[in-house]
Amino acid sequence: MPIEVGAAGGVISNPMKHLSVSRIALRDLLPSACASLGEDASIAIYTTCEAAQACWQEARQQCQGYAFQTYEWLACWQQHLGQRQGWQVRIVVLRDGDGRIRLLLPLGIRRIVGLRRLDFLGGELTDYRAPLIASDFPTTLFGSLWTALLSLLQVDLFRSRRMPATIENICNPFSLLPGIEANEQAHAATLPDTYAEFQKSRSAKMFADTRRRLRNLEAIGKVRVEIDAVGAQRAEVVATMARQKSRRWRETQARDIFREPGYLDFYQTLAAQGITGGSVVLSGLYVDEQLVATHWGLRYGKRFYWLMPAYQDGDWTRYAVGRQLLDAVLKHSIATGLKIFDLTVGDESFKQQWADHTLMLYGGQHGVTRRGKMAVAVNQRWQDLYAGLRANTRLRNLVRRLRGRAPITAQ
């Protein structure tokens, strides 16, 4: 039987109710995996981010992952949003027989309509949901390991999205699970050694238009770009970004998350504390002393993440101030030796102009218990019905007219 060890070394029956960590010999959970991972391989399950911090930072040194899998990103999310939304932390750490971390799964459980649902921590703010994984992790044994973990964690179903096909060129084993399929994509640009090389591989017309608009902007005031604001200026960039972003969301009738508790706190806190192995980069475009475009982003490893751009409305849009800032940040990324400019999830038209490759993102669900499998079947039926309704142009136009919006025209 699995051995559950308490803080004082005692054995208890259900540690995840009482303790921040439980440890299990892999040979007691999945003996067949020991041939690949060693007889002394083990699994630890942490129920708080803080308890997992030390091994999380160890995993960062031994495994590959994106900035969204850093301790700081997910611990900050859990502090400001996860707890509020009812998520219970389950950080799973797999060590091989030599004590090396081969896999860290930053998972959480949330009870929804009586079902215990398992997912990656991070919610909608996390563009890539993934494990930290060693380059030599034996992917072929993941399916059986995952089945054993689902039973151990006592959940009804697993449901997730935005799981990348690869984790810095390592196959993401979650993309191979049953019920999981590619349904979204992210965009990124490979960065050459010089900005001139980058320009040559993109639309000359776009860069000419950007330069023309910059000259027009310089005619009305002194233009200054801060790539990585410091001191009190960091708080100014975050506050201005939030105002500009909220305005844009309201204009497009999108959900304004900054009007909801916890979301702005997340960005403010992370901007103040940073992330290990990288940094939170706050950038701004000023005309005289007015901050007309902002960006909240991350630098991690050899990758820059373009995450939360915002800009001033009105006459400023004629100068493409948002594009001016993106161009400046990308140029700086090349100059500082970064290799990937990650535009992350979404198919916004501007990304097509800058990116040169995509990253497929996977999503889906599978049931564990009978109740979980029934819930998955019902959910799948609803998704099929919803897809059919969306394909009905006449019905969609009726709904749009009722909302006072223009009808969809035939392509």
Side-chain angles (χ1 to χ4, degrees):
M1 293 293 293
I3 299 174
E4 314 289 8
V5 183
V11 177
I12 61 177
S13 60
N14 192 358
M16 284 185 279
K17 277 189 176 181
H18 310 283
L19 300 178
S20 57
V21 60
S22 60
R23 304 185 192 280
I24 303 159
L26 186 61
R27 61 179 174 271
D28 293 328
L29 180 67
L30 189 65
S32 60
C34 292
S36 299
L37 296 170
E39 285 297 319
D40 294 326
S42 64
I43 288 175
I45 301 176
Y46 297 84
T47 59
T48 69
C49 292
E50 293 74 19
Q53 183 175 5
C55 71
W56 206 324
Q57 301 296 16
E58 182 184 352
R60 189 187 65 81
Q61 299 288 340
Q62 300 177 3
C63 301
Q64 292 295 323
Y66 294 104
F68 304 112
Q69 282 73 59
T70 56
Y71 167 79
E72 290 82 7
W73 179 276
L74 291 175
C76 188
W77 176 85
Q78 178 65 14
Q79 174 191 354
H80 292 295
L81 294 162
Q83 290 179 358
R84 191 187 303 271
Q85 296 170 8
W87 286 100
Q88 301 172 358
V89 171
R90 296 292 186 269
I91 310 298
V92 179
V93 179
L94 172 65
R95 293 182 183 270
D96 64 19
D98 296 324
R100 292 189 303 128
I101 296 177
R102 306 287 285 277
L103 193 68
L104 185 148
L105 308 178
L107 302 171
I109 298 172
R110 186 184 185 190
R111 189 176 291 275
I112 302 177
V113 293
L115 297 172
R116 286 169 58 82
R117 170 186 159 187
L118 184 70
D119 193 358
F120 285 98
L121 298 176
E124 71 272 46
L125 301 187
T126 297
D127 283 38
Y128 305 149
R129 304 181 189 182
L132 291 171
I133 187 169
S135 58
D136 58 352
F137 177 80
T139 305
T140 53
L141 69 81
F142 181 75
S144 56
L145 176 63
W146 180 243
T147 299
L149 286 174
L150 290 175
S151 178
L152 182 65
L153 293 170
Q154 300 178 344
V155 297
D156 293 301
L157 72 154
F158 170 74
R159 181 182 297 162
S160 194
R161 60 191 291 251
R162 294 184 178 177
M163 296 182 288
T166 58
I167 303 165
E168 297 296 18
N169 299 319
I170 300 172
C171 175
N172 181 2
F174 280 86
S175 68
L176 307 176
L177 292 173
I180 305 300
E181 59 184 18
N183 51 20
E184 291 183 85
Q185 61 185 356
H187 298 268
T190 306
L191 299 181
D193 292 334
T194 67
Y195 180 69
E197 291 177 74
F198 184 86
Q199 286 183 303
K200 288 179 182 178
S201 64
R202 299 301 188 278
S203 165
K205 182 179 179 181
M206 179 187 73
F207 286 106
D209 181 70
T210 302
R211 290 191 297 269
R212 178 183 62 80
R213 293 179 190 239
L214 178 59
R215 289 193 297 270
N216 292 340
L217 190 61
E218 291 172 332
I220 64 173
K222 181 180 179 181
V223 176
R224 172 170 57 93
V225 176
E226 294 289 343
I227 296 296
D228 192 3
V230 297
Q233 196 174 51
R234 292 179 69 81
E236 178 192 16
V237 171
V238 176
T240 304
M241 178 274 292
R243 289 196 301 271
Q244 293 172 343
K245 203 71 177 176
S246 288
R247 184 213 75 244
R248 182 59 180 165
W249 283 327
R250 292 193 300 271
E251 287 175 353
T252 58
Q253 298 182 338
R255 175 188 173 197
D256 182 0
I257 61 173
F258 290 144
R259 299 186 67 179
E260 301 175 26
Y263 286 90
L264 184 54
D265 295 329
F266 168 83
Y267 287 101
Q268 290 172 330
T269 300
L270 209 55
Q273 71 181 30
I275 60 172
T276 304
S279 59
V280 176
V281 181
L282 305 178
S283 305
L285 174 68
Y286 291 82
V287 178
D288 293 330
E289 296 306 312
Q290 186 170 355
L291 185 51
V292 298
T294 55
H295 181 253
W296 193 108
L298 295 173
R299 174 175 176 155
Y300 186 75
K302 290 295 184 179
R303 188 178 292 257
F304 185 89
Y305 297 82
W306 183 259
L307 293 177
M308 290 291 282
Y311 55 88
Q312 202 66 25
D313 61 347
D315 289 342
W316 295 109
T317 58
R318 73 174 66 176
Y319 303 104
V321 290
R323 192 203 309 168
Q324 304 288 352
L325 183 57
L326 190 159
D327 185 59
V329 173
L330 185 141
K331 185 184 299 184
H332 183 266
S333 297
I334 294 173
T336 53
L338 296 181
K339 297 304 180 184
I340 299 291
F341 195 85
D342 197 333
L343 295 153
T344 67
V345 67
D347 292 321
E348 295 90 340
S349 58
F350 81 92
K351 294 182 180 182
Q352 312 295 332
Q353 298 175 307
W354 299 88
D356 64 358
H357 65 278
T358 59
L359 175 62
M360 293 308 302
L361 302 177
Y362 286 70
Q365 56 189 337
H366 49 258
V368 181
T369 64
R370 181 185 300 176
R371 295 173 69 239
K373 291 175 181 178
M374 288 180 60
V376 168
V378 170
N379 181 264
Q380 187 60 56
R381 177 59 179 158
W382 164 247
Q383 288 185 24
D384 293 342
L385 178 62
Y386 181 71
L389 292 174
R390 283 191 60 83
N392 188 323
T393 303
R394 292 180 62 185
L395 181 60
R396 289 182 67 188
N397 280 336
L398 174 61
V399 174
R400 292 177 70 89
R401 283 196 296 272
L402 292 173
R403 292 180 175 178
R405 300 171 67 181
I408 301 168
T409 57
Q411 297 296 317

